[in-house]
Amino acid sequence: IGGVVLSLMNVTERVRAQEAVKAERQRFFDVLEALPVYVVLLTPDYHATFANRIFRERFGESHGLRCFEFLFGRSEPCEICETYTVLKTMAPHQWEWTGPDGRIYFVHDFPFTDTDGSTLILEMGIDITDQKKAEEALKQKENQLRLFASEYLNTQETERRRIAAE
């Protein structure tokens, strides 16, 4: 009887532990879904094994297609893609990317070891389109200001010459 009771206690503890792991896993997925950036896990053969809500909303579902197929309708990997640099260097990599939605992303790629030991790419993309537009607008305003200042100085110098000539 004591052995049966201990066995039942072990089963109960195991069930509680499994439920706790399941709840924690759900919490982690909820966090990934709530992030205001896209997160995707990519395999060495270009498949997305996980994509959060932002990624799915911006780029759609992969439906088993490789990233270059479902993102750009290509039959081969993109020549300019820097994502797979991570698999060569096994070091984090950052770069800017214009997505198929026309928006600009600051991309962070990391080597990621999956639960089965395989190496994946963990990619996070932060939409910086508005920041880039603001920087460009600021640059244009600075150029206008320089032009106005130059015109003002030229006008001032012309006026000085005119007064000196009189």
Side-chain angles (χ1 to χ4, degrees), residues 10 17 20 23 25 32 36 38 59-60 80 83 88 111 125 133 158 161:
N10 287 342
R25 183 174 287 143
L32 290 174
Y38 80 73
F59 311 120
I80 61 168
T83 296
K88 295 173 191 159
K133 286 179 181 176
T158 302
R161 283 192 208 121

Side-chain angles (χ1 to χ4, degrees), residues 8 14 30 48 53 65-66 70 93 118 129 148 154 163:
L8 288 174
R14 187 178 315 130
D30 291 345
R53 176 186 55 83
L65 297 174
R66 294 173 290 186
F70 82 87
H93 182 64
S118 63
T129 306
F148 291 148
N154 286 339
I163 291 172

Side-chain angles (χ1 to χ4, degrees), residues 116-152:
D116 64 0
S118 63
T119 302
L120 302 175
I121 299 167
L122 170 61
E123 181 169 287
M124 179 178 71
I126 302 167
D127 187 342
I128 59 169
T129 306
D130 294 337
Q131 175 186 337
K132 288 290 189 180
K133 286 179 181 176
E135 287 171 358
E136 186 57 36
L138 181 60
K139 196 180 295 182
Q140 287 177 357
K141 293 295 181 188
E142 287 172 345
N143 288 339
Q144 279 182 332
L145 186 59
R146 278 191 207 94
L147 180 63
F148 291 148
S150 175
E151 288 175 0
Y152 175 75

Side-chain angles (χ1 to χ4, degrees), residues 6 28 39-40 46 54 57 86 101 127 132 136 143 160:
L6 278 175
F28 180 66
V39 177
V40 63
Y46 302 93
I54 293 291
E57 287 174 358
V86 170
D101 59 353
D127 187 342
K132 288 290 189 180
E136 186 57 36
N143 288 339
R160 280 189 193 134

Side-chain angles (χ1 to χ4, degrees), residues 4-129:
V4 171
V5 170
L6 278 175
S7 178
L8 288 174
M9 287 174 62
N10 287 342
V11 168
T12 302
E13 287 177 26
R14 187 178 315 130
V15 168
R16 283 187 189 142
Q18 288 171 338
E19 287 173 359
V21 167
K22 184 178 177 182
E24 196 59 33
R25 183 174 287 143
Q26 184 60 51
R27 181 178 177 201
F28 180 66
F29 281 122
D30 291 345
V31 167
L32 290 174
E33 290 292 298
L35 289 174
V37 300
Y38 80 73
V39 177
V40 63
L41 282 175
L42 297 163
T43 64
D45 65 350
Y46 302 93
H47 287 91
T49 61
F50 170 82
N52 74 341
R53 176 186 55 83
I54 293 291
F55 186 92
R56 294 187 313 271
E57 287 174 358
R58 300 263 171 114
F59 311 120
E61 297 282 347
S62 69
H63 300 291
L65 297 174
R66 294 173 290 186
C67 58
F68 54 86
E69 294 168 328
F70 82 87
L71 288 174
F72 298 104
R74 296 175 53 99
S75 58
E76 297 178 357
C78 306
E79 300 85 21
I80 61 168
C81 181
E82 296 186 37
T83 296
Y84 285 83
T85 301
V86 170
L87 294 181
K88 295 173 191 159
T89 64
M90 294 308 287
H93 182 64
Q94 298 174 351
W95 57 296
E96 284 185 18
W97 174 61
T98 300
D101 59 353
R103 302 199 58 83
I104 303 167
Y105 296 91
F106 188 56
V107 177
H108 300 263
D109 291 317
F110 304 92
F112 182 82
T113 304
D114 204 1
T115 54
D116 64 0
S118 63
T119 302
L120 302 175
I121 299 167
L122 170 61
E123 181 169 287
M124 179 178 71
I126 302 167
D127 187 342
I128 59 169
T129 306

